Amino acid sequence: MAILKKLVVQDYRNIGLAELEFSANINCISGGNGEGKTNLMDAVWYLSMTKSAFRSTERDNFRYGTDAFSLSGVYDMGNSLSSRFSIRVSAGGDKKLKRDDKPYPRISEHIGELPVVMVSPDDVSLVSDSGEDRRRFLNMVLSQMDKEYLSDVQQYNRLLCQRNSVLKSSSPDASLLEIMDSRMEVYASRIYERRNEFISALSPVVEKYYHMLSGGKESVCINYRSDLEKGALTQILSGLRGRDMALGYTSAGPQRDDMVFMMDGHPMKRCGSQGQLKSFLVSLKFAQYELMKSGFGVPPMLLLDDVFDKLDMSRTANLLSMVAGNDFGQIFITDSNKVRLEGIVDGITEDRAYFETVNGSFRRL
């Protein structure tokens, strides 16, 4: 189990320089809106996933007036071993990632070394926005748990770009497309099987946590939608070849997969209240946490960003009992209400650390 002991952040978003040492149990960050709480959480996420948790360009991550940022963390890796992970990103697009001062041959090799789950207000896009956000969620989870899955997605996307380039040409070569379709099928079938397997395992666990949060007031589930339900990708693309040539892009495949979130038999997007959506999204991330914990054999790090907002008192109490009653690893919690945060966490454990931020500067309380 990876425990973040010390974090150094330089020129990341609104954080000029921060050097912080954390509790191995619960860490609480309070401060007003826009002061840097979420940016600190995102820095922790970045060290695990080598990218921001939010839809942004690298340029957005540079503090105003700078042309680079750096992050480093010292982690307790278990068995009395510790490792220092560092990453530096420059405005030219250069990204250098090291473990104990040794560069990674490929950045993708780092994914899964520091398992992490984040609950954020931005998660609402998983319900309200396009399928791209839900596929991004699937890829983010499965890439941490399965390096072969990550490789399959990368290889499929590379071939997809090549196929789309052929389709955009003035006279697409049908025989070339047929060869590419066969190669894409290998990766597409494995991506479909792994996503289907994961969602089948995820849905009942989401329902369990939602029942705990809501007190059994509603029933929820997740349905998986994929073009590959109809058959092999080669057959599907063969039937759509004329259409794809006219469109200039590939109109079927895993890049169109989606999840449909249901509540009492109806799409949650249409009928869920703000509180219900927040409860579902927290349940989704806690289910992700449970499956990752089972897969890794150790609990991942849990980042709870502004998680108490839009939850009534009963759902907040239920959420706290979930955190207190399970074998969770290291937890980071942010809240704009310092008094509320202290009242919540002090009721769970005495092993905690409090931090406060103002304008990107942090101090331990």
Side-chain angles (χ1 to χ4, degrees), residues 14-36:
N14 78 325
I15 303 174
L17 179 64
E19 298 185 31
L20 302 169
E21 295 185 3
F22 297 115
S23 164
N25 191 27
I26 297 182
N27 298 276
C28 307
I29 302 100
S30 62
N33 294 328
E35 299 293 348

Short mmCIF file of all heavy atoms in Angstrom, two decimals, residues 14-36:
data_model
loop_
_atom_site.label_atom_id
_atom_site.label_comp_id
_atom_site.label_asym_id
_atom_site.label_seq_id
_atom_site.Cartn_x
_atom_site.Cartn_y
_atom_site.Cartn_z
N ASN A 14 -2.22 27.46 -8.85
CA ASN A 14 -1.98 28.67 -8.05
C ASN A 14 -1.00 28.42 -6.91
O ASN A 14 -0.82 29.28 -6.04
CB ASN A 14 -3.30 29.23 -7.51
CG ASN A 14 -3.80 28.45 -6.29
OD1 ASN A 14 -3.61 27.23 -6.21
ND2 ASN A 14 -4.45 29.14 -5.37
N ILE A 15 -0.36 27.25 -6.90
CA ILE A 15 0.57 26.91 -5.81
C ILE A 15 2.00 27.23 -6.24
O ILE A 15 2.55 26.59 -7.15
CB ILE A 15 0.45 25.41 -5.45
CG1 ILE A 15 -0.99 25.07 -5.06
CG2 ILE A 15 1.41 25.08 -4.31
CD1 ILE A 15 -1.24 23.58 -4.83
N GLY A 16 2.58 28.24 -5.59
CA GLY A 16 3.96 28.61 -5.91
C GLY A 16 4.94 27.57 -5.41
O GLY A 16 5.70 26.98 -6.18
N LEU A 17 4.90 27.31 -4.11
CA LEU A 17 5.75 26.28 -3.51
C LEU A 17 5.08 25.79 -2.24
O LEU A 17 4.71 26.59 -1.37
CB LEU A 17 7.14 26.83 -3.18
CG LEU A 17 8.11 25.85 -2.52
CD1 LEU A 17 8.43 24.69 -3.46
CD2 LEU A 17 9.39 26.55 -2.08
N ALA A 18 4.91 24.49 -2.15
CA ALA A 18 4.33 23.88 -0.95
C ALA A 18 5.11 22.61 -0.62
O ALA A 18 5.36 21.79 -1.49
CB ALA A 18 2.85 23.56 -1.17
N GLU A 19 5.51 22.49 0.64
CA GLU A 19 6.17 21.28 1.15
C GLU A 19 5.38 20.81 2.35
O GLU A 19 5.33 21.48 3.37
CB GLU A 19 7.62 21.57 1.53
CG GLU A 19 8.49 22.03 0.37
CD GLU A 19 9.94 22.19 0.75
OE1 GLU A 19 10.39 21.44 1.65
OE2 GLU A 19 10.62 23.06 0.18
N LEU A 20 4.73 19.66 2.21
CA LEU A 20 3.79 19.20 3.23
C LEU A 20 4.08 17.76 3.62
O LEU A 20 4.40 16.92 2.76
CB LEU A 20 2.36 19.31 2.71
CG LEU A 20 1.89 20.71 2.27
CD1 LEU A 20 0.57 20.62 1.54
CD2 LEU A 20 1.79 21.63 3.47
N GLU A 21 3.95 17.47 4.91
CA GLU A 21 4.05 16.11 5.42
C GLU A 21 2.68 15.68 5.92
O GLU A 21 1.99 16.44 6.61
CB GLU A 21 5.09 16.03 6.53
CG GLU A 21 6.50 16.32 6.03
CD GLU A 21 7.56 16.13 7.11
OE1 GLU A 21 7.20 15.71 8.24
OE2 GLU A 21 8.74 16.39 6.83
N PHE A 22 2.29 14.44 5.57
CA PHE A 22 0.91 14.01 5.78
C PHE A 22 0.80 12.87 6.79
O PHE A 22 1.76 12.12 7.03
CB PHE A 22 0.30 13.55 4.46
CG PHE A 22 0.20 14.64 3.43
CD1 PHE A 22 0.94 14.57 2.26
CD2 PHE A 22 -0.62 15.73 3.64
CE1 PHE A 22 0.85 15.56 1.29
CE2 PHE A 22 -0.72 16.74 2.69
CZ PHE A 22 0.03 16.65 1.51
N SER A 23 -0.41 12.75 7.34
CA SER A 23 -0.77 11.60 8.16
C SER A 23 -0.99 10.39 7.26
O SER A 23 -1.44 10.53 6.12
CB SER A 23 -2.05 11.90 8.94
OG SER A 23 -2.63 10.70 9.45
N ALA A 24 -0.69 9.22 7.77
CA ALA A 24 -0.94 7.99 7.01
C ALA A 24 -2.41 7.64 7.02
O ALA A 24 -2.83 6.74 6.27
CB ALA A 24 -0.13 6.84 7.59
N ASN A 25 -3.20 8.35 7.81
CA ASN A 25 -4.63 8.04 7.92
C ASN A 25 -5.48 9.08 7.20
O ASN A 25 -5.71 8.97 5.99
CB ASN A 25 -5.01 7.93 9.40
CG ASN A 25 -6.39 7.34 9.60
OD1 ASN A 25 -6.88 6.59 8.77
ND2 ASN A 25 -7.03 7.70 10.71
N ILE A 26 -5.95 10.12 7.87
CA ILE A 26 -6.83 11.12 7.27
C ILE A 26 -6.17 12.49 7.28
O ILE A 26 -5.64 12.93 8.31
CB ILE A 26 -8.18 11.18 7.99
CG1 ILE A 26 -8.93 9.85 7.86
CG2 ILE A 26 -9.05 12.31 7.42
CD1 ILE A 26 -10.30 9.83 8.51
N ASN A 27 -6.20 13.16 6.14
CA ASN A 27 -5.65 14.51 5.99
C ASN A 27 -6.77 15.44 5.51
O ASN A 27 -7.44 15.15 4.53
CB ASN A 27 -4.51 14.50 4.98
CG ASN A 27 -3.36 13.62 5.43
OD1 ASN A 27 -2.50 14.04 6.20
ND2 ASN A 27 -3.34 12.37 4.97
N CYS A 28 -6.94 16.54 6.23
CA CYS A 28 -8.05 17.46 5.97
C CYS A 28 -7.49 18.81 5.53
O CYS A 28 -6.65 19.39 6.21
CB CYS A 28 -8.90 17.63 7.21
SG CYS A 28 -9.46 16.08 7.93
N ILE A 29 -8.00 19.30 4.41
CA ILE A 29 -7.56 20.60 3.88
C ILE A 29 -8.77 21.53 3.82
O ILE A 29 -9.75 21.22 3.13
CB ILE A 29 -6.92 20.46 2.49
CG1 ILE A 29 -5.72 19.51 2.53
CG2 ILE A 29 -6.48 21.82 1.97
CD1 ILE A 29 -6.02 18.12 2.06
N SER A 30 -8.71 22.64 4.52
CA SER A 30 -9.80 23.61 4.51
C SER A 30 -9.32 24.92 3.91
O SER A 30 -8.13 25.20 3.83
CB SER A 30 -10.34 23.84 5.93
OG SER A 30 -9.32 24.37 6.76
N GLY A 31 -10.28 25.73 3.49
CA GLY A 31 -9.97 27.02 2.88
C GLY A 31 -11.12 27.47 2.02
O GLY A 31 -12.00 26.68 1.67
N GLY A 32 -11.12 28.75 1.68
CA GLY A 32 -12.20 29.29 0.86
C GLY A 32 -12.13 28.79 -0.57
O GLY A 32 -11.17 28.14 -0.99
N ASN A 33 -13.18 29.10 -1.33
CA ASN A 33 -13.22 28.72 -2.73
C ASN A 33 -12.12 29.43 -3.51
O ASN A 33 -11.89 30.63 -3.34
CB ASN A 33 -14.59 29.05 -3.34
CG ASN A 33 -15.70 28.22 -2.73
OD1 ASN A 33 -15.49 27.08 -2.34
ND2 ASN A 33 -16.90 28.79 -2.65
N GLY A 34 -11.43 28.68 -4.37
CA GLY A 34 -10.38 29.26 -5.20
C GLY A 34 -9.05 29.46 -4.51
O GLY A 34 -8.15 30.08 -5.09
N GLU A 35 -8.89 28.97 -3.28
CA GLU A 35 -7.65 29.21 -2.53
C GLU A 35 -6.58 28.15 -2.83
O GLU A 35 -5.41 28.37 -2.56
CB GLU A 35 -7.93 29.23 -1.02
CG GLU A 35 -8.88 30.34 -0.59
CD GLU A 35 -8.29 31.74 -0.76
OE1 GLU A 35 -7.07 31.85 -1.00
OE2 GLU A 35 -9.04 32.72 -0.68
N GLY A 36 -6.97 26.96 -3.35
CA GLY A 36 -5.97 25.96 -3.71
C GLY A 36 -6.21 24.56 -3.21
O GLY A 36 -5.37 23.67 -3.41
#
